[in-house]
Amino acid sequence: MNPRQTAALALLEMDRREGYSNLTLEPRLQRAGFSPQDRAFCSALFYGVLERRITLDWAIAHYSRTPIQKLEPEVLAALRLGVLQLMEFPSVPPAAAVSQSVEVVRSLGKEKAAGFVNGVLRAMAQKACAVPPPKDKLTALSVEHSVPAPLIQLWRKAYGHDTALEILRGSRGPAPTFLRVNTTKTTPAALTNRLLAEGRESREVPGVENALELMTPGGLAGLPSFREGLFHVQDLSSQLCAAALAPEPGMAVLDLCAAPGGKTFTVAELLGDRGRVLARDLHPHRVKLVEEGAARLGLASVTAETGDALCRDPALEGKFDRVLCDVVCSGFGTLRRKPEIRYKPLDSLDGLPEVQYNILENASHYLKRGGRLVYSTCTLSPAENEEVVARFLGSHPEFSAPVPAKTYIHGREGLDCDGFFVAVLEKEGEP
C-alpha cells in the first residue's frame, strides 16, 4: 500500500461505516509503517478529501458525463483524491496526480474504470481545474467552503450573515496544536525552552494563561517532556472553559462528562493539585484514558470512575464546590479537526437538546449552595447552547448567570480556537 491507496481505503471505510476520521485512519497508518513524509502526505489526502468533498464533487460533476450519484464508490474516491491534488497540492505534478489516481482505481479492483478516471482528470488538468461557480448564492457558499447548505442556513439564522462567514472561514484546517502547561511541574517559559531542546518550537499565547502554541509539527508522545507529564494537548477554548470554572485549592470538583480528560487535568492544575477532582464518564475504556493521563501528569487529586450523566446519583448530591458539565453535542465548532461532522443531517440531532438539558438538570443537584457550574459544548448551535441554558434558568430560580454566556468563534479576539460555548451558572446560598 502506498499513501494514496491507503487514503482511498480509509475514505471508503468512512463512507461505509460513518466512523470517526482519526479512528479510521490511524490504525491504517500504523500498519503501513510509512516514513514521516508519506504519513503526512496520506493524512493530508485523507483529511483534505473529507474536508473538501462538496467542492471536489462540484468540480467532478462539471467534467464527468456520468452523474456523481451513479459513480461507484471506488471510482469516486479515486477521482476525489485526484482532483484534490490538482486543485490544492502544487507540489504534485498534474501528470502524477492523474496517473497515480488511475493506479488507485485499479488497486481498488475497478480496472474498467481506469480510462474514465484518466479522461476526467486529464480534462481537468488541461483546464487548470477551472469550474464555474454555482449561480445560487447559498449553493456557491456551500461549494466554496464545502459546508452543507442547511448548516450554513442554521448559522445565518442564529448569528447573522457576517458571523456565519467568519465561522465558514474557520471551518477549514489544518488546526493549530495548543498545549496546556502542567503548572504543578513547570512554567511556560521553562517548558518552551525544554521543547526547543527537544526540537519543537513553541510560543506563549497572549490572553490565555499557561497555554503554548506548538510551531514545529511532529508527534509529541515520544518526547521526554511529554512522558514526564509537563503538558497535555488542549485547544484554547477548552482551556478557557476550564478557567471559567474558577476552581480554588482545596475545592471538590466534579467533571461529569470527562473523557478523554483534558479539562479534568486543567482543573486539577488550577487547583494546584490540592483538592479533589472526580472525573466521570459512561464508558470504562474512556475512564481508563483519564486515569492514564492523570498518572502521566502526576495529578494525585484526580479520581476517575464510570458513571452515567443521565442517571441522577443521590450519593453525589450537594457534594461539590464546582461542577463542569461539558455535554455531548453536535460538534459543529470543531469542523477543522473533525471534518466529517459537517455532513451530519441536522434532523439526526433533534434529540440532543433534551439529552443536554437532562444532563444539566442532574449536574445541578451535585452542586453545593454558593457553588459554580459551567455548562459547555463544542458546537455552534443555539438550540444546544443558549436555549438549553435559558430553559434551565427558567426552571431553576435558585440559579443565576453572573456573567453573560460566551460563544467562542475562530479568529475573534485574536484567538485561533475551536468554536465553543460556555455558560457560567451559580447556585444561591452560603456554601
Side-chain angles (χ1 to χ4, degrees):
M1 284 293 153
N2 63 40
R4 292 178 174 88
Q5 293 167 341
T6 299
L9 288 170
L11 289 167
L12 289 170
E13 183 180 344
M14 285 289 296
D15 288 342
R16 288 194 303 268
R17 298 176 54 191
E18 297 183 352
Y20 293 105
S21 54
N22 60 324
L23 299 180
T24 299
L25 181 62
E26 187 58 32
R28 293 183 178 276
L29 291 176
Q30 291 177 0
R31 290 195 299 269
F34 291 141
S35 67
Q37 294 80 7
D38 281 351
R39 182 186 177 93
F41 183 52
C42 182
S43 296
L45 289 172
F46 174 76
Y47 284 106
V49 168
L50 283 182
E51 183 181 87
R52 304 295 288 159
R53 195 172 78 188
I54 294 175
T55 309
L56 299 175
D57 286 0
W58 178 263
I60 292 168
H62 180 70
Y63 285 93
S64 171
R65 293 182 180 179
T66 304
I68 286 279
Q69 60 270 24
K70 292 187 176 181
L71 293 175
E72 294 178 286
E74 295 85 357
V75 176
L76 186 55
L79 284 172
R80 285 169 172 167
L81 286 167
V83 175
L84 179 73
Q85 292 169 78
L86 290 172
M87 293 177 67
E88 301 194 5
F89 283 62
S91 62
V92 177
V98 174
S99 64
Q100 290 301 312
S101 298
V102 171
E103 291 306 311
V104 166
V105 81
R106 284 176 171 152
S107 73
L108 296 175
K110 300 298 176 181
E111 174 70 34
K112 292 182 179 180
F116 171 76
V117 169
N118 181 68
V120 171
L121 295 180
R122 283 188 57 156
M124 292 190 69
Q126 288 169 359
K127 297 201 174 179
C129 298
V131 181
K135 294 180 180 179
D136 175 73
K137 292 183 179 180
L138 178 60
T139 306
L141 275 178
S142 176
V143 169
E144 179 184 356
H145 297 283
S146 210
V147 172
L151 184 52
I152 297 175
Q153 289 176 309
L154 183 154
W155 288 334
R156 276 176 158 180
K157 181 179 178 181
Y159 307 110
H161 180 74
D162 290 344
T163 298
L165 288 180
E166 285 185 77
I167 297 171
L168 287 169
R169 286 192 287 267
S171 68
R172 293 190 60 183
T177 298
F178 294 103
L179 312 180
R180 159 72 197 190
V181 180
N182 183 356
T183 48
T184 69
K185 291 188 173 185
T186 188
T187 65
L191 181 57
T192 298
N193 291 332
R194 178 67 181 275
L195 288 168
L196 189 59
E198 295 173 350
R200 299 290 189 275
E201 184 182 356
S202 62
R203 65 183 180 189
E204 294 187 43
V205 180
V208 185
E209 193 173 8
N210 300 314
L212 298 180
E213 181 179 3
L214 192 68
M215 310 306 296
T216 307
L220 297 172
L223 299 181
S225 57
F226 179 85
R227 294 196 299 267
E228 293 169 24
L230 301 187
F231 66 89
H232 65 274
V233 178
Q234 187 176 40
D235 187 69
L236 294 181
S237 52
S238 293
Q239 296 189 42
L240 292 166
C241 172
L245 205 60
E248 299 175 7
M251 283 186 169
V253 182
L254 172 63
D255 188 349
L256 200 55
C257 308
K263 298 180 192 67
T264 297
F265 307 147
T266 300
V267 168
E269 291 159 4
L270 291 169
L271 290 172
D273 205 26
R274 301 191 301 276
R276 176 192 176 212
V277 184
L278 177 59
R280 280 195 158 191
D281 198 85
L282 180 60
H283 303 289
H285 70 281
R286 289 173 60 79
V287 170
K288 187 177 180 182
L289 294 176
V290 181
E291 292 175 333
E292 291 172 347
R296 180 182 63 82
L297 294 162
L299 298 172
S301 60
V302 174
T303 301
E305 64 182 30
T306 56
D308 188 347
L310 284 169
C311 296
R312 188 167 159 186
D313 186 347
L316 302 183
E317 293 195 15
K319 297 291 180 66
F320 296 92
D321 303 285
R322 300 286 189 267
V323 175
L324 178 57
C325 192
D326 186 47
V327 297
V328 60
C329 69
S330 57
F332 290 142
T334 62
L335 298 192
R336 61 182 181 170
R337 296 187 189 276
K338 302 173 183 176
E340 68 275 12
I341 287 175
R342 69 189 66 208
Y343 306 113
K344 287 181 179 179
L346 295 187
D347 58 6
S348 71
L349 307 169
D350 288 346
L352 271 178
E354 187 65 26
V355 171
Q356 293 157 341
Y357 178 82
N358 289 334
I359 293 175
L360 177 56
E361 167 73 22
N362 283 339
S364 69
H365 293 283
Y366 306 144
L367 192 66
K368 294 179 181 178
R369 289 191 174 275
R372 172 174 286 197
L373 183 154
V374 166
Y375 172 88
S376 63
T377 74
C378 59
T379 197
L380 299 171
S381 167
E384 301 176 60
N385 295 337
E386 291 89 349
E387 292 176 22
V388 171
V389 172
R391 177 185 172 189
F392 176 80
L393 290 173
S395 302
H396 292 268
E398 74 277 19
F399 276 85
S400 62
V403 294
K406 179 81 172 180
T407 299
Y408 292 97
I409 293 175
H410 165 266
R412 289 206 173 167
E413 302 175 28
L415 295 176
D416 192 6
C417 62
D418 293 343
F420 219 83
F421 175 81
V422 178
V424 175
L425 307 173
E426 291 186 350
K427 194 172 187 178
E428 68 178 15
E430 294 297 322

